[in-house]
Amino acid sequence: MTKVTMTVNGKSVSGAVEGRTLLSDFIREGLRLTGTHVGCDTSQCGACVVHVDGKAVKSCTMLAAEAEGAEIKTIEGMANPDGSLSVIQQAFQDHHGLQCGFCTPGMVMSAAALLAENPSPTESEIRKYLEGNICRCTGYHNIIKAIMAASGQSVADVAAE
Ligand code: FES
Ligand code: FES
């Protein structure tokens, strides 16, 4: 076992991990932050996306030991300091960007990383960015609308699926 220390949602955390422990498992089982979902474990679905040093990363593709010293943000760290929903989370709610909600933490984390890089993405840029995030329920249409709205853009022209 190896000791790892990282900052998660602004707090320093440590734990003992095996060399093979995935970051997603450390977050869910070691830290009990179960908002990060695991849908596949094979880098397909994007349900496990978190931010590592500000970049969107599928946490099932990274070893916990590789995150030593990193700044991690999970969906639990996305709300505003007063506990209200962030702009992106509120936009998902307002535009019905979720149904079962399984993909939603990963979608929100990917959307936040996209908007940090590109504050006014086009619809096609959003679709391209979300290629690694699978949703089995929504058909993506309302997710795209939510991200357009969160970026302050009109949702009127979002093409139907
Ligand atoms: S659980 Fe990581 S990509 Fe599916
Ligand atoms: S809302 Fe169900 S998988 Fe996306």
Side-chain angles (χ1 to χ4, degrees):
M1 300 288 265
T2 316
K3 185 181 171 200
V4 288
T5 301
M6 61 192 82
T7 303
V8 178
N9 301 331
K11 288 191 197 138
S12 178
V13 299
S14 315
V17 297
E18 293 183 50
R20 63 180 180 174
T21 303
L22 300 174
L23 180 59
S24 50
D25 290 336
F26 179 66
I27 289 170
R28 286 178 54 81
E29 290 160 29
L31 304 179
R32 308 303 300 162
L33 293 172
T34 54
T36 297
H37 291 165
V38 172
C40 67
D41 247 354
T42 53
S43 189
Q44 306 289 315
C45 74
C48 65
V49 170
V50 300
H51 294 176
V52 179
D53 295 329
K55 301 270 183 232
V57 170
K58 290 177 175 173
S59 59
C60 75
T61 65
M62 185 170 177
L63 297 171
E66 292 178 304
E68 171 66 28
E71 292 267 349
I72 310 286
K73 190 181 239 194
T74 71
I75 191 68
E76 288 87 350
M78 284 301 287
N80 295 320
D82 67 0
S84 60
L85 296 179
S86 65
V87 169
I88 295 172
Q89 290 170 306
Q90 189 63 54
F92 269 70
Q93 184 176 88
D94 293 345
H95 294 276
H96 309 288
L98 64 147
Q99 289 183 28
C100 79
F102 193 85
C103 70
T104 311
M107 288 289 182
V108 168
M109 299 313 287
S110 290
L114 166 62
L115 295 184
E117 263 175 43
N118 178 359
S120 293
T122 63
E123 179 182 341
S124 69
E125 285 171 336
I126 297 171
R127 289 185 185 277
K128 178 101 187 115
Y129 198 88
L130 293 183
E131 272 176 1
N133 290 77
I134 293 172
C135 177
R136 293 182 184 275
C137 306
T138 63
Y140 301 97
H141 183 61
N142 287 351
I143 292 173
I144 309 298
K145 275 187 166 177
I147 298 171
M148 290 295 273
S151 69
Q153 302 184 83
S154 167
V155 301
D157 299 328
V158 175
E161 278 281 289

